[in-house]
Amino acid sequence: MSGVYARRTARRTARRTARPAARRIAVLTASAALAGTSILLTAPTAQASPPTPVSAATARTYLGQLTQRAEGSSSGYSRDLFPHWSTQSGTCNTREVVLKRDGTNVQQDAGCAAVSGSWYSEYDGATWSAASDVDIDHVVALAEAWRSGASSWTTAQRQSFANDLTRPQLIAVTDNVNQAKSDLDPAEWLPPRTAYRCMYARMWVHVKHHWNLTVDSAEKSALQGVLNNC
């Protein structure tokens, strides 16, 4: 376990230094500038809206039903083993569907690419007016799923998981916040906006329960702590 911890610590340290301080300043500057417009002051209409997860009470029950097991190996993992983003309709792929769903006043071009709109990131409370500043986060990261049981799935199953619009598995958030999360589980990372942590834990458990993925002991303990305070 010390080797796993050391690798995760190294990953977190590398991510923290990967983006310059100017990027963080840009987040604050953009948020302040956008706050002056009436549309962006109305946060509820701009909030990301993945499918509503199970309640905290149900999530606590689901968490107790998940198989607890030491986290598996990342050996053999590749994002290519989870094909995404799949075409959903016409020229629209999963990313564009989520951008449209989670944004406000989103306009798309003939190729379904979002060319204007605004996106409120639930993870950190920032609002963005360019789709390029927004990532679509897999709530349960693909690598985390691999280590929790998806390594034994078929490619078709992994594709369904990576493009799951039915469960609360996909959400539009600030790009560098998503990149800081990487493939960490709730024992290692939670949304910096504390008001969203209960929702995040409900989403995480809902997804893992539906897809019959395992949890490790630290992950389970962290989720219990969040859900008990919902």
Side-chain angles (χ1 to χ4, degrees):
M1 290 303 291
S2 61
V4 172
Y5 179 80
R7 288 194 297 273
R8 288 178 176 172
T9 300
R11 291 203 307 269
R12 289 196 294 271
T13 300
R15 283 191 297 272
R16 291 192 186 105
T17 58
R19 291 285 181 115
R23 182 68 173 86
R24 294 193 295 274
I25 294 170
V27 171
L28 297 175
T29 303
S31 297
L34 291 171
T37 63
S38 60
I39 187 172
L40 297 178
L41 285 174
T42 313
T45 62
Q47 290 177 352
S49 52
T52 303
V54 295
S55 68
T58 300
R60 286 191 288 269
T61 299
Y62 279 8
L63 181 59
Q65 295 171 350
L66 293 177
T67 299
Q68 183 176 315
R69 183 178 299 154
E71 191 171 80
S73 170
S74 293
S75 178
Y77 168 73
S78 168
R79 286 178 65 86
D80 293 340
L81 296 173
F82 293 79
H84 63 289
W85 304 107
S86 298
T87 299
Q88 295 294 333
S89 177
T91 59
C92 298
N93 65 24
T94 307
R95 172 180 164 83
E96 298 301 343
V97 168
V98 176
L99 285 173
K100 177 72 170 179
R101 182 196 71 188
D102 290 2
T104 296
N105 296 332
V106 177
Q107 299 297 316
Q108 297 171 308
D109 64 17
C112 204
V115 294
S116 65
S118 65
W119 291 269
Y120 177 79
S121 170
E122 291 283 11
Y123 286 1
D124 60 333
T127 302
W128 300 98
S129 58
S132 58
D133 287 318
V134 178
D135 277 357
I136 306 305
D137 180 40
H138 289 95
V139 172
V140 176
L142 305 183
E144 165 67 22
W146 178 269
R147 297 189 296 264
S148 303
S151 60
S152 65
W153 293 353
T154 65
T155 300
Q157 286 175 305
R158 289 192 287 264
Q159 182 172 10
S160 294
F161 175 82
N163 296 275
D164 189 358
L165 292 166
T166 304
R167 264 63 55 180
Q169 163 68 342
L170 301 171
I171 183 171
V173 296
T174 301
D175 56 359
N176 62 321
V177 173
N178 180 50
Q179 290 152 22
K181 171 190 169 179
S182 185
D183 62 351
L184 303 178
D185 69 33
E188 305 160 308
W189 187 93
L190 288 167
R193 180 171 165 255
T194 56
Y196 201 67
R197 290 182 178 179
C198 179
M199 179 67 76
Y200 183 80
R202 290 162 55 195
M203 295 163 74
W204 184 280
V205 173
H206 186 155
V207 171
K208 280 217 161 179
H209 186 270
H210 175 83
W211 289 96
N212 196 30
L213 295 168
T214 63
V215 289
D216 62 46
S217 59
E219 174 190 356
K220 183 175 183 178
S221 179
L223 288 164
Q224 286 174 328
V226 175
L227 292 171
N228 287 341
N229 289 297
C230 287

